Amino acid sequence: MKFIDKLSAAWTTNNSLLCVGLDPDLDRFPAHLKDQPDAIVTFCKAIIDATADLACAFKPQIAYFAALGAEGQLEEICRYLRDTYPHIPLVLDAKRGDIGATAHQYAREAFDRYGADAVTVNPYMGFDSVEPYMAWPDRGVIVLCRTSNAGGSDLQFLDVGGTRLYQHVARLVAEKWNRNGQCALVVGATFPEELAQVRAIVGDMPLLVPGVGAQGGDVAATVTAGKSANGAGMMINSSRAILYAAPQAGEDFAAAARRVALQTRDEINRFRN
């Protein structure tokens, strides 16, 4: 199934625009897991199982695994997602940006090694840094556009011929780069006005929206600004707020994560229609 089709089905099946980010931080793991050699796999599988019926996508951030030399555990987690929850898109958050043969190798890493349905990429080097990913016509290419960090404005807000650079990127992807019809954009929840402008440019193209939860993005403003005509169109990511939710009485870490994921999914849905 193509990425966009799988995502659209997940929006409907789970009645959800929530993307659960997988950013394993051993310092924040429960004490009983920290010394286990497979702690990352155990932790992430528990989070996945606890939230799979509430999510429209899962998004492992590759740096959290690579910094610990845990790429093998990431492979196992991705395999578990594909085998156990094949109807939920797997988005590899890698933000790769290079050209030619090197970009092709990054694409192989995302799509062949990890089996991702989609990968995040950086468009700074232009279309020939994005084109190699399109050799996998069923996979998603999610292009950085207006990111949620404050420093994103250093470049993304520059005026280029009477338009902002992030708007130019949005228009390029929507009108020229989306050859396979599987492109999406990263647009942060911390800038709802810019989110609305991107939505106006790209129509119903999916948006990966970081910045709610720990980064403080406003859910109501985000959904109102970014939803598509049918009340979907977004993967609204929350990572740390779900992964490291403080357990209440009788909860373990997975139950706490499920509680916060359910609250977030339901809050998002309040503003969809």
Side-chain angles (χ1 to χ4, degrees), residues 35-231:
D35 295 329
Q36 294 186 15
D38 60 347
I40 293 173
V41 171
T42 300
F43 180 83
C44 288
K45 282 185 176 180
I47 296 293
I48 291 164
D49 290 340
T51 60
D53 63 325
L54 305 173
C56 71
F58 285 102
K59 184 180 71 64
Q61 164 50 255
I62 194 169
Y64 280 85
F65 296 86
L68 300 171
E71 292 95 330
Q73 293 193 61
L74 175 57
E75 288 185 76
E76 184 174 347
I77 291 161
C78 291
R79 186 163 50 247
Y80 181 75
L81 276 166
R82 295 194 309 270
D83 291 346
T84 311
Y85 304 102
H87 59 291
I88 301 178
L90 165 57
V91 175
L92 185 68
D93 193 0
K95 300 183 180 70
R96 301 304 196 196
D98 215 317
I99 56 172
T102 304
H104 182 76
Q105 297 307 312
Y106 280 136
R108 288 185 60 203
E109 173 193 47
F111 298 142
D112 292 346
R113 180 181 183 186
Y114 295 116
D117 294 296
V119 64
T120 58
V121 300
N122 192 321
Y124 188 75
M125 294 181 73
F127 180 65
D128 53 345
S129 68
V130 175
E131 186 177 19
Y133 297 87
M134 296 180 180
W136 287 257
D138 59 333
R139 307 300 176 92
V141 182
I142 307 177
V143 181
L144 296 180
C145 179
R146 181 67 170 120
T147 57
S148 58
N149 61 306
S153 297
D154 294 346
L155 295 177
Q156 295 159 18
F157 223 60
L158 291 176
D159 185 289
V160 286
T163 189
R164 299 297 184 184
L165 180 57
Y166 77 89
Q167 296 169 333
H168 180 65
V169 169
R171 192 165 285 109
L172 272 177
V173 175
E175 297 178 1
K176 295 184 178 181
W177 293 6
N178 195 16
R179 291 181 174 179
N180 298 328
Q182 301 302 308
C183 283
L185 294 173
V186 177
V187 185
T190 47
F191 301 105
E193 291 183 7
E194 284 89 345
L195 177 58
Q197 292 166 7
V198 171
R199 174 57 72 202
I201 291 168
V202 304
D204 288 340
M205 178 179 288
L207 305 178
L208 174 60
V209 184
V212 302
Q215 293 187 57
D218 180 83
V219 170
T222 297
V223 177
T224 300
K227 65 183 178 180
S228 59
N230 66 353

